[in-house]
Short mmCIF file of all heavy atoms in Angstrom, two decimals:
data_model
loop_
_atom_site.label_atom_id
_atom_site.label_comp_id
_atom_site.label_asym_id
_atom_site.label_seq_id
_atom_site.Cartn_x
_atom_site.Cartn_y
_atom_site.Cartn_z
N LYS A 141 21.81 -0.35 -16.05
CA LYS A 141 22.03 -0.79 -17.53
C LYS A 141 22.18 -2.29 -17.61
O LYS A 141 23.12 -2.87 -16.94
CB LYS A 141 23.21 -0.12 -18.12
CG LYS A 141 23.27 1.44 -18.00
CD LYS A 141 21.99 1.86 -18.83
CE LYS A 141 22.06 3.40 -18.89
NZ LYS A 141 20.86 3.99 -19.59
N VAL A 142 21.17 -2.88 -18.26
CA VAL A 142 21.39 -4.32 -18.54
C VAL A 142 21.14 -4.57 -20.03
O VAL A 142 20.18 -4.00 -20.67
CB VAL A 142 20.26 -5.07 -17.82
CG1 VAL A 142 20.21 -6.59 -18.09
CG2 VAL A 142 20.47 -4.94 -16.29
N GLN A 143 22.04 -5.23 -20.58
CA GLN A 143 21.94 -5.39 -22.04
C GLN A 143 22.44 -6.89 -22.26
O GLN A 143 23.59 -7.24 -22.07
CB GLN A 143 22.92 -4.53 -22.86
CG GLN A 143 22.82 -4.58 -24.41
CD GLN A 143 23.74 -3.59 -25.10
OE1 GLN A 143 24.29 -2.75 -24.44
NE2 GLN A 143 24.02 -3.87 -26.38
N GLU A 144 21.55 -7.62 -22.91
CA GLU A 144 21.80 -9.04 -23.11
C GLU A 144 23.10 -9.26 -23.82
O GLU A 144 23.35 -8.74 -24.92
CB GLU A 144 20.71 -9.76 -23.87
CG GLU A 144 20.78 -11.28 -23.92
CD GLU A 144 19.52 -11.91 -24.53
OE1 GLU A 144 18.46 -11.28 -24.59
OE2 GLU A 144 19.69 -13.18 -24.98
N GLY A 145 23.91 -10.14 -23.24
CA GLY A 145 25.21 -10.46 -23.83
C GLY A 145 26.36 -9.49 -23.64
O GLY A 145 27.47 -9.63 -24.03
N ARG A 146 25.85 -8.27 -23.14
CA ARG A 146 26.93 -7.18 -23.03
C ARG A 146 27.15 -6.74 -21.56
O ARG A 146 27.99 -5.84 -21.31
CB ARG A 146 26.48 -6.05 -23.87
CG ARG A 146 26.71 -6.33 -25.35
CD ARG A 146 28.11 -6.80 -25.71
NE ARG A 146 28.29 -7.06 -27.14
CZ ARG A 146 29.36 -7.61 -27.62
NH1 ARG A 146 30.35 -8.07 -26.83
NH2 ARG A 146 29.47 -7.84 -28.93
N THR A 147 26.30 -7.13 -20.65
CA THR A 147 26.42 -6.85 -19.25
C THR A 147 25.94 -8.00 -18.56
O THR A 147 25.45 -9.02 -19.06
CB THR A 147 25.37 -5.58 -18.92
OG1 THR A 147 24.10 -6.09 -18.95
CG2 THR A 147 25.65 -4.43 -19.79
N ALA A 148 26.08 -7.93 -17.16
CA ALA A 148 25.48 -9.00 -16.33
C ALA A 148 23.97 -9.04 -16.50
O ALA A 148 23.36 -8.11 -16.93
CB ALA A 148 25.83 -8.64 -14.89
N ASP A 149 23.37 -10.14 -16.31
CA ASP A 149 21.97 -10.34 -16.48
C ASP A 149 21.19 -9.53 -15.45
O ASP A 149 21.83 -9.01 -14.57
CB ASP A 149 21.56 -11.90 -16.48
CG ASP A 149 21.86 -12.53 -15.15
OD1 ASP A 149 21.43 -11.96 -14.11
OD2 ASP A 149 22.45 -13.55 -15.22
N ALA A 150 19.98 -9.43 -15.60
CA ALA A 150 19.17 -8.57 -14.83
C ALA A 150 19.15 -9.04 -13.30
O ALA A 150 19.19 -8.20 -12.46
CB ALA A 150 17.63 -8.58 -15.36
N ALA A 151 18.97 -10.35 -13.21
CA ALA A 151 18.97 -10.77 -11.73
C ALA A 151 20.13 -10.55 -10.96
O ALA A 151 20.16 -10.10 -9.84
CB ALA A 151 18.51 -12.30 -11.82
N THR A 152 21.33 -10.84 -11.62
CA THR A 152 22.55 -10.67 -11.05
C THR A 152 22.83 -9.13 -10.71
O THR A 152 23.36 -8.69 -9.69
CB THR A 152 23.74 -11.13 -11.92
OG1 THR A 152 23.45 -12.49 -12.19
CG2 THR A 152 25.08 -10.97 -11.26
N SER A 153 22.49 -8.35 -11.73
CA SER A 153 22.66 -6.84 -11.57
C SER A 153 21.77 -6.32 -10.48
O SER A 153 22.22 -5.52 -9.63
CB SER A 153 22.21 -6.24 -12.95
OG SER A 153 23.17 -6.52 -13.95
N ALA A 154 20.60 -6.80 -10.35
CA ALA A 154 19.65 -6.35 -9.36
C ALA A 154 20.09 -6.73 -7.89
O ALA A 154 20.09 -5.93 -6.98
CB ALA A 154 18.24 -6.89 -9.61
N ALA A 155 20.67 -7.89 -7.85
CA ALA A 155 21.09 -8.40 -6.52
C ALA A 155 22.37 -7.59 -6.09
O ALA A 155 22.44 -7.21 -4.91
CB ALA A 155 21.53 -9.85 -6.59
N ALA A 156 23.24 -7.23 -6.96
CA ALA A 156 24.41 -6.58 -6.68
C ALA A 156 24.06 -5.16 -6.26
O ALA A 156 24.63 -4.64 -5.29
CB ALA A 156 25.42 -6.53 -7.86
N LEU A 157 23.13 -4.56 -6.97
CA LEU A 157 22.77 -3.17 -6.74
C LEU A 157 22.05 -3.14 -5.27
O LEU A 157 22.38 -2.18 -4.51
CB LEU A 157 21.83 -2.70 -7.73
CG LEU A 157 21.44 -1.29 -7.67
CD1 LEU A 157 22.67 -0.32 -8.02
CD2 LEU A 157 20.27 -0.86 -8.65
N ARG A 158 21.22 -4.07 -5.11
CA ARG A 158 20.54 -4.01 -3.79
C ARG A 158 21.51 -4.17 -2.71
O ARG A 158 21.34 -3.50 -1.67
CB ARG A 158 19.51 -5.11 -3.76
CG ARG A 158 18.60 -5.15 -2.53
CD ARG A 158 17.74 -3.97 -2.53
NE ARG A 158 17.01 -3.82 -1.24
CZ ARG A 158 17.52 -3.09 -0.32
NH1 ARG A 158 18.67 -2.47 -0.38
NH2 ARG A 158 16.81 -2.84 0.80
N ALA A 159 22.42 -5.14 -2.82
CA ALA A 159 23.47 -5.34 -1.70
C ALA A 159 24.33 -3.97 -1.60
O ALA A 159 24.66 -3.60 -0.45
CB ALA A 159 24.38 -6.47 -2.11
N GLU A 160 24.71 -3.31 -2.65
CA GLU A 160 25.44 -2.22 -2.54
C GLU A 160 24.76 -1.04 -1.81
O GLU A 160 25.33 -0.24 -1.16
CB GLU A 160 25.86 -1.77 -3.88
CG GLU A 160 26.85 -0.62 -4.01
CD GLU A 160 28.19 -1.07 -3.35
OE1 GLU A 160 28.90 -2.07 -3.89
OE2 GLU A 160 28.75 -0.37 -2.43
N MET A 161 23.46 -0.93 -2.07
CA MET A 161 22.62 0.26 -1.59
C MET A 161 22.02 -0.06 -0.17
O MET A 161 21.28 0.77 0.26
CB MET A 161 21.65 0.55 -2.60
CG MET A 161 22.30 1.16 -3.99
SD MET A 161 23.33 2.64 -3.62
CE MET A 161 22.13 3.85 -3.26
N ALA A 162 22.22 -1.23 0.36
CA ALA A 162 21.52 -1.61 1.55
C ALA A 162 21.63 -0.59 2.57
O ALA A 162 20.87 -0.44 3.46
CB ALA A 162 21.79 -3.05 1.95
N ASP A 163 22.90 -0.04 2.73
CA ASP A 163 23.30 0.69 3.82
C ASP A 163 23.30 2.27 3.56
O ASP A 163 23.69 3.16 4.36
CB ASP A 163 24.68 0.41 4.47
CG ASP A 163 25.73 0.67 3.44
OD1 ASP A 163 25.39 0.74 2.26
OD2 ASP A 163 26.84 0.50 3.81
N PHE A 164 22.72 2.59 2.37
CA PHE A 164 22.69 4.09 1.96
C PHE A 164 21.61 4.82 2.60
O PHE A 164 20.46 4.38 2.54
CB PHE A 164 22.57 4.17 0.47
CG PHE A 164 22.68 5.54 -0.06
CD1 PHE A 164 23.95 6.16 0.08
CD2 PHE A 164 21.65 6.27 -0.56
CE1 PHE A 164 24.13 7.46 -0.39
CE2 PHE A 164 21.85 7.44 -1.14
CZ PHE A 164 23.12 8.14 -1.06
N PRO A 165 21.85 5.89 3.44
CA PRO A 165 20.90 6.46 4.36
C PRO A 165 19.86 7.37 3.54
O PRO A 165 18.75 7.64 4.04
CB PRO A 165 21.67 7.27 5.32
CG PRO A 165 22.99 7.54 4.52
CD PRO A 165 23.13 6.45 3.55
N ASN A 166 20.28 7.92 2.43
CA ASN A 166 19.49 8.87 1.73
C ASN A 166 18.34 8.22 0.90
O ASN A 166 18.63 7.02 0.51
CB ASN A 166 20.34 9.81 0.85
CG ASN A 166 21.33 10.61 1.61
OD1 ASN A 166 21.42 10.49 2.82
ND2 ASN A 166 22.01 11.50 0.93
N HIS A 167 17.50 8.92 0.39
CA HIS A 167 16.47 8.45 -0.59
C HIS A 167 17.11 8.08 -1.92
O HIS A 167 17.91 8.91 -2.42
CB HIS A 167 15.38 9.51 -0.74
CG HIS A 167 14.28 9.00 -1.67
ND1 HIS A 167 13.62 9.83 -2.42
CD2 HIS A 167 13.72 7.85 -1.89
CE1 HIS A 167 12.69 9.24 -3.19
NE2 HIS A 167 12.75 7.92 -2.84
N TRP A 168 16.86 6.95 -2.38
CA TRP A 168 17.40 6.48 -3.67
C TRP A 168 16.30 5.66 -4.32
O TRP A 168 15.46 4.99 -3.71
CB TRP A 168 18.73 5.72 -3.54
CG TRP A 168 18.60 4.37 -2.74
CD1 TRP A 168 18.58 4.22 -1.44
CD2 TRP A 168 18.39 3.12 -3.39
NE1 TRP A 168 18.47 2.90 -1.11
CE2 TRP A 168 18.31 2.20 -2.36
CE3 TRP A 168 18.33 2.65 -4.71
CZ2 TRP A 168 18.22 0.82 -2.54
CZ3 TRP A 168 18.26 1.28 -4.92
CH2 TRP A 168 18.09 0.38 -3.84
N TRP A 169 16.49 5.56 -5.58
CA TRP A 169 15.62 4.82 -6.43
C TRP A 169 16.27 4.28 -7.62
O TRP A 169 17.33 4.89 -8.03
CB TRP A 169 14.26 5.39 -6.78
CG TRP A 169 14.46 6.73 -7.57
CD1 TRP A 169 14.23 6.86 -8.91
CD2 TRP A 169 14.75 8.01 -7.09
NE1 TRP A 169 14.51 8.22 -9.22
CE2 TRP A 169 14.82 8.92 -8.16
CE3 TRP A 169 15.09 8.51 -5.76
CZ2 TRP A 169 15.08 10.36 -8.03
CZ3 TRP A 169 15.35 9.84 -5.67
CH2 TRP A 169 15.42 10.74 -6.78
N VAL A 170 15.74 3.24 -8.36
CA VAL A 170 16.47 2.64 -9.54
C VAL A 170 15.46 2.55 -10.62
O VAL A 170 14.29 2.34 -10.48
CB VAL A 170 17.03 1.30 -9.06
CG1 VAL A 170 15.95 0.40 -8.59
CG2 VAL A 170 17.67 0.68 -10.27
N THR A 171 15.98 2.71 -11.85
CA THR A 171 15.21 2.75 -13.12
C THR A 171 15.71 1.51 -13.85
O THR A 171 16.91 1.21 -13.98
CB THR A 171 15.44 4.00 -13.96
OG1 THR A 171 14.76 5.00 -13.25
CG2 THR A 171 14.85 3.72 -15.31
#
Side-chain angles (χ1 to χ4, degrees):
Chain A
K141 300 300 188 184
V142 174
Q143 185 183 345
E144 188 174 340
R146 292 304 184 188
T147 67
D149 61 49
T152 305
S153 300
L157 187 68
R158 185 67 191 93
E160 188 67 57
M161 295 302 288
D163 60 349
F164 188 65
N166 299 1
H167 182 211
W168 66 275
W169 59 99
V170 57
T171 290

